[in-house]
Amino acid sequence: MKIKPIYIFLALTVVGLLFALANTPKISAYEMVEEQSQSSNDDYNKMMDVLTHQRCMNCHPSDNIPKQGDDSHPHYFGMARGKDDHGFEATNCNTCHQSENNLNSGVPGAPHWALAPASMAWEGLTREEIAERLLDKNTNGNRSHEELVKHMTEDDLVLWAWEPGVHANGEQRTLPPVSKEDFKKAVENWFANGAVIPSK
């Protein structure tokens, strides 16, 4: 008994449809990718909210002048970068800035107080441009991703942002808009998920 061509065609069509359905990504797979992307963006935004805050930005100027205060005004007394980012011999950063805050004078302090190197200038850059500099070994102190995570989550000078002390008048300095623990988690997660810059 001969099988009619129409039946062969229908059989092949059904097999083809079943094969196509079996290899079609499930909606849940798209949802997972979308959720992961959204989570990575959230981590990125939390991290950048801190890096663009004046507690960080004041020490990452685009010129050689450290900035002060919430209004990021030039450092008093004509201070400038000087040798090795620590000011000049007579006006070295550590002359006033000790390893901890001075609650009497209001002078902030943390270990190895200094301006960020000129290659790490962030002032005036967009969030995306800062992220690009952060990931570029030519502008991040030649750090790997692992070293960046360690620097951003463990370095006492970085973490000083959440313990900035008080002004000379006793008024508390402004804290970054993200808690220290949330910032640490955001940094760790962002790098763990590939350090993707959302606009790229």
Side-chain angles (χ1 to χ4, degrees):
M1 175 179 159
K2 279 189 173 182
I3 300 175
K4 293 184 178 180
I6 187 68
Y7 293 129
I8 295 173
F9 172 76
L10 287 173
L12 290 174
T13 301
V14 170
V15 170
L17 282 172
L18 291 173
F19 181 78
L21 287 172
N23 289 286
T24 300
K26 304 293 184 287
I27 292 175
S28 60
Y30 288 115
E31 289 173 347
M32 286 175 60
V33 169
E34 188 174 329
E35 284 176 12
Q36 184 176 6
S37 176
Q38 183 59 48
S39 176
S40 181
N41 287 351
D42 288 345
D43 292 324
Y44 170 82
N45 286 324
K46 283 181 182 177
M47 181 180 72
M48 296 311 300
D49 284 347
V50 172
L51 299 188
T52 55
H53 187 266
Q54 56 267 30
R55 289 288 76 79
C56 290
M57 196 62 72
N58 284 352
C59 291
H60 286 262
S62 59
D63 53 19
N64 294 318
I65 310 299
K67 305 303 187 292
Q68 294 179 305
D70 289 347
D71 61 352
S72 297
H73 60 265
H75 198 297
Y76 295 138
F77 318 119
M79 298 299 294
R81 182 179 301 282
K83 185 179 180 182
D84 299 327
D85 309 312
H86 286 82
F88 300 100
E89 186 173 345
T91 54
N92 187 281
C93 297
N94 300 125
T95 301
C96 295
H97 297 282
Q98 303 299 306
S99 60
E100 58 186 25
N101 296 322
N102 187 321
L103 300 181
N104 295 315
S105 67
V107 175
H112 62 91
W113 192 277
L115 273 184
S119 64
M120 298 181 195
W122 296 345
E123 186 182 20
L125 301 182
T126 66
R127 294 159 82 96
E128 291 76 19
E129 289 169 335
I130 291 172
E132 288 171 354
R133 284 203 171 193
L134 185 65
L135 297 175
D136 186 344
K137 284 194 170 187
N138 293 313
T139 54
N140 75 5
N142 197 36
R143 292 182 174 96
S144 65
H145 284 194
E146 292 76 15
E147 290 167 329
L148 283 169
V149 171
K150 183 177 177 66
H151 171 65
M152 296 170 71
T153 62
E154 297 182 24
D155 190 294
D156 288 332
L157 183 53
V158 173
L159 299 182
W160 167 87
W162 286 272
E163 296 176 11
V166 297
H167 294 285
N169 63 4
E171 182 180 328
Q172 178 70 41
R173 286 189 175 86
T174 307
L175 298 176
V178 176
S179 74
K180 179 166 62 175
E181 290 310 313
D182 284 349
F183 171 74
K184 287 182 177 182
K185 287 178 186 174
V187 170
E188 291 167 354
N189 291 340
W190 186 65
F191 279 101
N193 289 323
V196 176
I197 303 174
S199 65
K200 294 297 176 184

